[in-house]
Amino acid sequence: MTKRNKDGKVVLAGTGPGDPSLVTVAALEYLRAADVVVYDSLVSSALLREAPQEAEMIHAGKQAGGPSAEQGEINAVLIDRANQGALVVRLKGGDPYIFGRGAEEASALAEAGVRFAIVPGITAATAASLYAGIPLTDRRFSPSLTFVSGHSAADGSRTDVDWKALADLGGTVVFYMGIRSMPEITQRLVEAGRDPATPAAVVENAGSSCQRTVTGTLADIAARSSEAGVGSPGLLIIGEVVTLYPELAWYEQLPLFGKRVAVTRAAERAESMSARLRALGADVVEIPTIQIRKLPVAGEQLEWLRNLDRYDDLILTSAAAVDIFFELLKSVGRDARALAGLRLAAIGAATARHLDAYGIRPDLCPADFVAESLLADLAAQDMQGRRVLLPRSGKARAVVVERLEELGAVVDELKIYEPTPAETSYEEIRTVLDTPPDFITFTSSSTVENFIRILGEDDFTKRKQEIRAASIGPVTSKTLRRHGIEPIVESERHTAGGLIDAMEAWAIADAED
Ligand code: SAH
């Protein structure tokens, strides 16, 4: 904990279930400002990455089979850190006040005189109904909706659930924490008078790419779901609304649904790719293998930037190059107007998009997104004697400069950044590989090299067979092959979008086989 202020506070925030993009903006803003994060097992790791690097991260949930932290201990930690002046963000799956013991934590805080705020979350039932296609209410089928805790059904006493009233009420009934006691729950409802032919469904892992829905009736849902091996976390939904499932299921039919995809590109660049993959139903894990490190630019090179009017051409070859170039331009007291007289060439759709954000459209943007295409375009022009500024990665291939010089151009290469290995640990990559992803995306040769470097040669050799690589293009594929991996997918367009399309096409063809 680095930041301290005298008025600490605890924010109890719901994260929604499964899909990390279902968190609220409010929760995310608190998380990004947190000094301490206390989280449950159901909170996705993609979300935890949003916490500041220096934040103290405390896991308060059950670890596979192990005991969960005592509620009293959790309360004590929340109170202690808040009293030290920290902004404590307590993340809870779903909504904090729906069967999450969030209210008990809030009571403890109130009692201790600690300030707190509550941020709602999408509760599991909402996610299950929308992602499975079982609307919880629908005026054709159900006038009411009841949430019940299945835990109370499991302990013999149960003065809490009035089964007769529940059966008489009818409508939609959703049981949380009821997977294990499903035989008892369903039997009690039938004994209390609910029709055994009432449609019922179990939704496991709602809102995530491993969601599963099993349907049946009140009489047989327990047997059906145990046959299918349904486990936690799951919800039992009872009521006529379940009949809408065959018509309204959509998520489980997405092309990449159920596919686990690892994204290895730099964290800053992964976000939009991950979001697009998730929208296609994929279970995305990010294992950044590179990060962008800016290189110092000084002396004569600053003069190049101050005197852009001396150049004829400016070539930008990546989104990172665009951003860093404009930062540098600003640092020498210039702005986009300094580019007015230049011919501007860009490689790649992402590069062009980044330029667009600065209000600039490139003069040349090759149809194909590799350096070779740009060179072919330039070769068609008369480059003799033209002065070219090329701000780019310090690790970029020499071929571009060589070729431009062969064409007679005078090139100033400005090395402004360098992809360096990310801080992703060996353990992180290994954990991801333990359930081998359906695709590991490689969006540059550096992602391949660093992936192997982090994993280590020995482990890499051992696991090579399991690596199902999706490559962004021929250069990356060549690097993969050099390390003995034949990519199962290669993008035709050398963009993240092209790569996603290629994986989608592969998955559709695979499903048809
Ligand atoms: N506060 C949470 C619920 C916590 S109780 C919420 O609002 O969703 C834990 C129970 O929630 C589990 O036993 C299960 O019944 C349900 N649950 C949580 N996440 C789920 C998910 N992704 N899919 C189905 N059920 C889930």
Side-chain angles (χ1 to χ4, degrees), residues 297-317 321 325 328 342 383 385-394 396-398 400-402 404-405 408-416:
V297 172
E300 182 203 21
Q301 299 184 329
L302 287 175
E303 290 308 309
W304 297 353
L305 286 164
R306 284 197 191 98
N307 299 297
L308 286 181
D309 51 355
R310 289 201 207 138
Y311 294 96
D312 302 302
D313 290 283
L314 172 66
I315 302 180
L316 290 163
T317 57
F325 174 77
L328 287 167
L342 294 170
M383 293 301 290
R386 285 184 76 95
R387 301 212 42 173
V388 178
L389 182 64
L390 181 62
R392 61 174 188 159
S393 160
R397 292 179 298 152
V400 177
V401 177
E402 285 164 9
L404 283 168
E405 285 174 351
V410 183
V411 184
D412 280 336
E413 188 185 4
L414 185 57
K415 298 183 173 178
I416 55 176

Side-chain angles (χ1 to χ4, degrees), residues 17-18 42 92-100 122-125 128 175-179 203-207 232-235:
L42 290 177
K92 301 185 74 77
D95 180 89
Y97 278 2
I98 295 200
F99 301 127
I122 293 179
T123 190
F175 280 88
Y176 282 69
M177 298 173 285
I179 298 299
V203 185
E204 181 191 51
N205 283 313
S232 272
L235 291 171

Side-chain angles (χ1 to χ4, degrees), residues 127-443:
S129 89
L130 295 166
Y131 278 77
I134 305 174
L136 294 180
T137 69
D138 178 299
R139 64 180 187 154
R140 294 167 292 179
F141 298 104
S142 174
S144 71
L145 168 61
T146 314
F147 288 170
V148 187
S149 160
H151 260 183
S152 39
D155 65 45
S157 57
R158 267 169 317 86
T159 42
D160 33 7
V161 177
D162 183 339
W163 295 96
K164 178 81 174 65
L166 196 58
D168 288 348
L169 180 63
T172 311
V173 181
V174 180
F175 280 88
Y176 282 69
M177 298 173 285
I179 298 299
R180 238 179 298 161
S181 45
M182 215 183 320
E184 190 187 349
I185 291 171
T186 48
Q187 190 190 338
R188 276 180 190 275
L189 270 177
V190 171
E191 282 168 8
R194 186 103 197 221
D195 183 352
T198 309
V202 170
V203 185
E204 181 191 51
N205 283 313
S208 82
S209 191
C210 29
Q211 172 176 303
R212 249 197 323 162
T213 306
V214 174
T215 57
T217 63
L218 193 52
D220 66 11
I221 190 69
R224 279 172 181 253
S225 83
S226 116
E227 226 165 76
V230 170
S232 272
L235 291 171
L236 169 62
I237 305 177
I238 297 161
E240 300 295 331
V241 287
V242 172
T243 54
L244 288 168
Y245 171 69
E247 183 188 339
L248 297 185
W250 62 277
Y251 181 59
E252 292 167 19
Q253 283 145 21
L254 290 174
L256 292 180
F257 176 78
K259 297 277 183 275
R260 205 153 172 273
V261 182
V263 173
T264 60
R265 73 191 332 196
E268 307 87 356
R269 312 277 330 279
E271 205 174 317
S272 69
M273 184 169 175
S274 300
R276 277 146 86 188
L277 286 165
R278 282 197 190 100
L280 292 171
D283 172 21
V284 182
V285 277
E286 287 179 10
I287 38 172
T289 57
I290 50 178
Q291 59 194 20
I292 305 286
R293 190 167 64 93
K294 289 177 209 165
L295 293 173
V297 172
E300 182 203 21
Q301 299 184 329
L302 287 175
E303 290 308 309
W304 297 353
L305 286 164
R306 284 197 191 98
N307 299 297
L308 286 181
D309 51 355
R310 289 201 207 138
Y311 294 96
D312 302 302
D313 290 283
L314 172 66
I315 302 180
L316 290 163
T317 57
S318 72
V322 171
D323 288 337
I324 299 169
F325 174 77
F326 277 99
E327 257 174 49
L328 287 167
L329 203 57
K330 196 169 166 192
S331 77
V332 297
R334 292 293 158 85
D335 61 33
R337 286 171 297 177
L339 274 62
L342 294 170
R343 183 170 66 183
L344 183 58
I347 298 183
T351 311
R353 251 198 324 275
H354 266 62
L355 279 168
D356 193 55
Y358 294 92
I360 288 168
R361 196 172 305 156
D363 302 296
L364 285 175
C365 192
D368 206 355
F369 299 114
V370 289
E372 281 74 4
S373 307
L374 180 69
L375 288 171
D377 280 10
L378 288 173
Q381 325 262 336
D382 182 11
M383 293 301 290
Q384 192 60 44
R386 285 184 76 95
R387 301 212 42 173
V388 178
L389 182 64
L390 181 62
R392 61 174 188 159
S393 160
K395 295 258 176 74
R397 292 179 298 152
V399 53
V400 177
V401 177
E402 285 164 9
R403 188 77 188 100
L404 283 168
E405 285 174 351
E406 276 167 32
L407 292 171
V410 183
V411 184
D412 280 336
E413 188 185 4
L414 185 57
K415 298 183 173 178
I416 55 176
Y417 72 95
E418 198 172 69
T420 57
E423 280 157 24
T424 302
S425 66
Y426 164 75
E427 278 75 24
E428 275 176 82
I429 290 204
R430 211 200 41 201
T431 311
V432 168
L433 293 185
D434 279 345
T435 318
D438 295 282
F439 297 105
I440 303 183
T441 59
F442 292 100
T443 42

